[in-house]
Amino acid sequence: MKSKVVLITGASRGIGRNIASTLARKGYIIVANYNKSEKQAEDLKQELKEENINIDIYKADVQKRNEVREMVSYVLNKYGKIDVLINNAGISESKMFLDETDEDWNNIINTNLYSAFCTTQEVLPNMIHNKNGCIINISSIWGIVGASCETIYSISKAGIDAMTKSLAKELGPSNIRVNSIAPGIIDTEMNSNLGTEELNQIIEEIPLERIGKTLDVSKCVNWLIEDDYTTGQIISINGGWIIT
Ligand code: NAP
């Protein structure tokens, strides 16, 4: 059987990068998108090449429709299909609500939410034609419970979750499953602003007594790809920190 083709946005660093290497090692065909971190993306490709695994890396700003369209065309021209789309690219914030600007709104909403809308629209015709697809949106627990000083971020992630639920209903008859993974705190550069004391306080609140690793998210992604009957779900990987 021909391997599944997986497109991952924001795969140069953090969670997306670990998803790319984990799935590549399992034999999936990987196209790893990046935007600013070219060196990290090249390093990822090289790291896997040393294990005799080839992946594609592709530069595109997922806020921009034309760049997303060219990226999707590249994948379809090369592999003829996209089986799995992982909308992972994202940025965070730390600001009081009254200090937020229109520029912050546009930047966060476009990177975290519009990107998923736009990339999914570009990929879907091929999935619908094949009557097969798996879309995984990386949202956040803050989209479920809200975060102080991260209002726009929380809005963007709640939006992603609403998109997941709506599309699961619309696309189920086309055999396309759509799910969100809503992580708690995962050890990536996104949390580099947290000091040791702050991290220890958070860990005290987590029943599994640690913050998450990128691999914790990748394992869930892998399970969702292999599953057949889960759709429209928001799966929170958070060590029991938030139980809704
Ligand atoms: P990260 O380490 O900061 O990595 C972010 C990734 O997104 C990078 O690869 C970056 O690529 C990419 N990206 C940002 N803007 C982009 C754009 N315009 N076009 C294409 N790629 C873009 O963050 P992370 O922690 O891995 O976060 C990944 C996802 O998980 C995000 O959606 C985040 O909201 C979500 N999440 C993270 C946590 C956490 O605790 N870490 C918790 C919940 C949810 P370049 O550097 O190449 O531009």
Side-chain angles (χ1 to χ4, degrees):
M1 197 179 76
K2 208 176 152 196
S3 286
K4 285 187 176 171
V5 178
V6 184
L7 172 61
I8 309 158
T9 67
S12 49
R13 298 183 287 113
I15 292 171
R17 181 191 182 94
N18 189 272
I19 294 171
S21 56
T22 301
L23 296 182
R25 289 184 179 115
K26 287 189 177 291
Y28 291 102
I29 295 169
I30 300 298
V31 182
N33 157 255
Y34 67 96
N35 186 31
K36 293 183 181 153
S37 304
E38 182 137 28
K39 165 124 185 32
Q40 283 94 328
E42 294 281 3
D43 287 350
L44 171 67
K45 187 176 168 66
Q46 187 55 34
E47 182 185 310
L48 289 164
K49 208 170 184 180
E50 281 160 21
E51 298 172 35
N52 288 321
I53 300 168
N54 279 310
I55 66 161
D56 287 274
I57 56 171
Y58 193 99
K59 178 175 164 53
D61 180 348
V62 292
Q63 290 192 44
K64 298 191 175 133
R65 169 79 67 170
N66 59 332
E67 294 191 21
V68 169
R69 186 169 287 161
E70 279 174 26
M71 172 171 70
V72 171
S73 296
Y74 166 83
V75 184
L76 292 178
N77 285 335
K78 185 160 181 183
Y79 297 109
K81 61 171 187 164
I82 296 175
D83 301 288
V84 181
L85 168 64
I86 302 170
N87 288 311
N88 164 78
I91 53 172
S92 61
E93 61 169 331
S94 180
K95 254 191 191 180
M96 301 283 280
F97 181 66
L98 285 178
D99 293 333
E100 304 271 23
T101 62
D102 287 356
E103 198 187 334
D104 293 327
W105 173 271
N106 290 333
N107 198 21
I108 296 164
I109 295 294
N110 287 342
T111 308
N112 295 3
L113 184 55
Y114 172 76
S115 64
F117 163 75
C118 167
T119 312
T120 303
Q121 274 195 333
E122 294 299 324
V123 166
L124 260 184
N126 178 262
M127 287 185 172
I128 291 171
H129 177 264
N130 295 337
K131 242 184 170 271
N132 175 59
C134 171
I135 298 170
I136 301 171
N137 297 317
I138 308 298
S139 61
S140 162
I141 43 164
W142 301 140
I144 303 169
V145 297
S148 168
C149 297
E150 294 193 57
T151 301
I152 305 175
Y153 181 80
S154 302
I155 292 168
S156 72
K157 297 303 188 179
I160 285 264
D161 288 347
M163 188 175 107
T164 290
K165 292 174 191 172
S166 300
L167 281 182
K169 291 178 180 175
E170 187 171 324
L171 299 172
S174 299
N175 192 33
I176 297 166
R177 294 177 301 108
V178 190
N179 292 286
S180 282
I181 296 178
I185 301 276
I186 306 295
D187 186 13
T188 72
E189 280 173 47
M190 191 171 268
N191 293 311
S192 54
N193 59 324
L194 296 175
T196 312
E197 203 176 315
E198 214 174 335
L199 265 180
N200 285 339
Q201 272 172 10
I202 293 171
I203 290 168
E204 271 181 32
E205 295 170 10
I206 301 177
L208 288 178
E209 298 183 328
R210 65 171 176 87
I211 62 165
K213 294 177 283 201
T214 51
L215 184 60
D216 294 317
V217 179
S218 302
K219 283 178 180 171
C220 185
V221 166
N222 187 50
W223 173 76
L224 277 173
I225 293 173
E226 287 176 7
D227 176 76
D228 291 316
Y229 198 56
T230 303
T231 196
Q233 303 306 308
I234 317 300
I235 302 168
S236 192
I237 306 283
N238 67 45
W241 189 27
I242 308 277
I243 300 174
T244 53

